[in-house]
Amino acid sequence: MHWLLRLYPRIWRERYEEEMLAMLEDHKITPATVFDLLIGAVDAHLNYRRVEGGKSETANLVRSGILMIFWAFLLFGAGGCLLQRIADPMPIFQQEASTFPAIGFVFDAIVILGCMASVSFLAGGLLLIYMSVRRGVTGKQSDILKRFGIAIVCLILFAVTAVWGMRTPQPSLLNEFLMLFALLFIAVGTVAVSQMIARTEFILSELKWVFIPKIIISLSMIISLVLAIVFIIMIISHAPQLIFSQDMDRQMFSMTGVIFMALGTIFASLGLRRGGIDLAISP
Amino acid sequence: MKKKELGRFSDASYLILSSLSSGPKHGYAMMEDIRQFSGTQLEPGTLYGAISRLEKQGWIEPLPSEERRRPYRITTDGAAVLREQVATLEQVVSVAKNRLSALEGL
């Protein structure tokens, strides 16, 4: 029964695991006991909280957990983009998908999950930025507002360089420079936003609003990763020409993509553990 | 009374409080006692879900462990809550009895 108790949150186990194990040694284990322990584990994740440092420390843990998940999603997104290379050019991929419909189905599922996670990322991120800026304005915190200003400038510069880059004939040196600058601006902007959020002293009740996007993002990442692995296996067994073509980049991109997705998912799960469900929604 | 905060553990919580009102007990002893006096078999997940809530409310408190088993005892607040609940139940029983008598008299 020890493995079942491992499903409970670490902090809960530190407090009750030993005495519960002692009790289980005397108790007759039935399927009802196993089911009850599973429900108990879910309940403990949702409701049990015991943090010594009080609410402000809890809020800090939740905030850093959220930031970890959001950064993990960026890494995951980069991996997802690399994986998409398999479907390029689309007509050839669609032709293979029509022969093996499961390939197309799994690919569509990954794309849909990615869209869901992106929308959640946007909603949760904008909410955090709004709360952070509001706190910066009311508390007259110049360091927060300064970083918000940097993020806005970077966003404008990104839009300008990206549009300019798209209008420039490809391939050209200018086009490549513009795209490089666009990526640089988005990276600097993201760092500025992260620093802004990291410096904001949120109240725990505010962070609860980001709970749903955080869960959607994490779940989407986990399911997408599993589907991506299934997708690669299906491609290798049914349509290997999509990966093992003369274009060596395909193999590298698809494998690197899955590795990035896996790393992103691991970081997100660490973020969930750090500022977990139990911390985020407990009273 | 913060009954709402007990959620689905409300019934189990009152059974635990009733059990502990006869003296401190550890988890398994509580489970056996509850089964004997109420016929309800509480499973470990439900029992410890309710124990963690009762502890958080300050209605029960842990005592030092005895060979891996930790006994719990009811607190003054816990006893007051149980008393209040018993009074409510007595009122419900009384009303139900009267109404049943009236029904049988028809």
Side-chain angles (χ1 to χ4, degrees):
Chain A
M1 282 298 107
H2 198 246
W3 65 272
L4 261 175
L5 295 190
R6 289 200 172 279
L7 298 176
Y8 281 76
R10 181 184 51 81
I11 204 153
W12 190 97
R13 281 191 280 128
E14 282 172 6
R15 172 66 185 82
Y16 295 109
E17 186 177 42
E18 199 56 34
E19 55 185 287
M20 205 161 168
L21 275 173
M23 188 186 69
L24 284 167
E25 284 167 12
D26 298 328
H27 184 67
K28 189 187 171 193
I29 309 295
T30 62
T33 311
V34 175
F35 182 72
D36 185 66
L37 285 172
L38 286 173
I39 299 289
V42 174
D43 172 73
H45 274 287
L46 290 172
N47 293 304
Y48 188 73
R49 178 174 64 94
R50 196 172 72 97
V51 175
E52 303 299 337
K55 287 200 168 182
S56 63
E57 191 178 323
T58 310
N60 288 342
L61 280 173
V62 174
R63 179 186 56 191
S64 57
I66 290 168
L67 277 175
M68 274 179 81
I69 291 170
F70 280 19
W71 270 102
F73 180 69
L74 289 179
L75 182 64
F76 184 90
C81 290
L82 291 174
L83 189 71
Q84 301 288 316
R85 275 295 305 270
I86 292 180
D88 183 31
M90 204 48 154
I92 296 174
F93 178 77
Q94 280 172 340
Q95 194 183 339
E96 295 296 336
S98 61
T99 317
F100 303 102
I103 291 178
F105 175 77
V106 174
F107 182 77
D108 289 346
I110 295 171
V111 172
I112 290 167
L113 283 168
C115 290
M116 270 172 58
S118 300
V119 170
S120 302
F121 178 80
L122 205 61
L126 287 176
L127 195 60
L128 273 180
I129 291 169
Y130 167 71
M131 290 188 297
S132 179
V133 171
R134 197 181 60 177
R135 191 54 54 81
V137 171
T138 52
K140 292 176 183 167
Q141 290 171 279
S142 59
D143 55 339
I144 291 177
L145 297 175
K146 209 184 290 174
R147 278 164 181 81
F148 179 64
I150 293 171
I152 291 291
V153 170
C154 282
L155 186 68
I156 294 168
L157 289 173
F158 164 74
V160 170
T161 46
V163 170
W164 190 3
M166 280 189 280
R167 288 183 178 176
T168 311
Q170 306 173 31
S172 72
L173 197 61
L174 178 64
N175 176 269
E176 285 181 10
F177 266 116
L178 286 171
M179 286 304 167
L180 194 68
F181 273 109
L183 283 176
L184 190 69
F185 287 134
I186 206 75
V188 173
T190 310
V191 171
V193 168
S194 296
Q195 285 185 336
M196 186 179 102
I197 291 167
R199 278 157 203 264
T200 307
E201 289 187 1
F202 292 104
I203 302 168
L204 192 58
S205 58
E206 289 176 331
L207 292 174
K208 287 177 183 178
W209 295 105
V210 194
F211 170 68
I212 293 173
K214 193 171 91 166
I215 291 297
I216 294 175
I217 292 170
S218 306
L219 281 180
S220 301
M221 284 166 78
I222 293 167
I223 301 169
S224 295
L225 176 65
V226 174
L227 288 177
I229 293 166
V230 171
F231 180 65
I232 292 283
I233 293 169
M234 286 166 89
I235 293 270
I236 290 172
S237 33
H238 298 296
Q241 66 278 15
L242 287 177
I243 290 187
F244 303 112
S245 63
Q246 288 181 336
D247 179 7
M248 288 297 286
D249 286 353
R250 273 170 191 278
Q251 295 162 44
M252 198 185 75
F253 280 147
S254 54
M255 292 308 158
T256 313
V258 174
I259 290 169
F260 277 14
M261 287 169 85
L263 286 175
T265 309
I266 291 167
F267 289 142
S269 62
L270 291 176
L272 262 186
R273 281 179 73 91
R274 184 172 178 77
I277 306 167
D278 49 340
L279 297 178
I281 66 166
S282 49
Chain B
M1 188 191 297
K2 300 171 188 170
K3 187 178 175 181
K4 208 174 125 188
E5 291 179 25
L6 296 174
R8 73 180 185 93
F9 294 98
S10 172
D11 291 343
S13 298
Y14 291 118
L15 288 171
I16 291 170
L17 289 177
S18 304
S19 174
L20 293 183
S21 59
S22 69
K25 288 178 193 69
H26 56 70
Y28 186 71
M30 265 185 249
M31 209 193 279
E32 284 298 297
D33 184 45
I34 288 167
R35 191 174 57 79
Q36 279 174 16
F37 77 73
S38 72
T40 305
Q41 175 66 61
L42 284 186
E43 290 291 345
T46 306
L47 182 78
Y48 272 89
I51 284 177
S52 65
R53 278 167 169 78
L54 289 169
E55 208 186 332
K56 187 179 160 192
Q57 299 283 355
W59 294 348
I60 63 170
E61 61 187 4
L63 296 171
S65 287
E66 297 164 355
E67 295 176 1
R68 296 171 68 210
R69 288 173 171 78
R70 187 186 293 277
Y72 291 85
R73 75 172 163 211
I74 191 166
T75 62
T76 317
D77 283 353
V81 166
L82 182 62
R83 207 168 289 124
E84 198 182 325
Q85 178 69 2
V86 168
T88 309
L89 286 173
E90 278 175 348
Q91 195 186 339
V92 171
V93 169
S94 163
V95 169
K97 268 184 180 174
N98 289 339
R99 289 181 182 178
L100 271 175
S101 304
L103 191 69
E104 283 158 6
L106 283 175

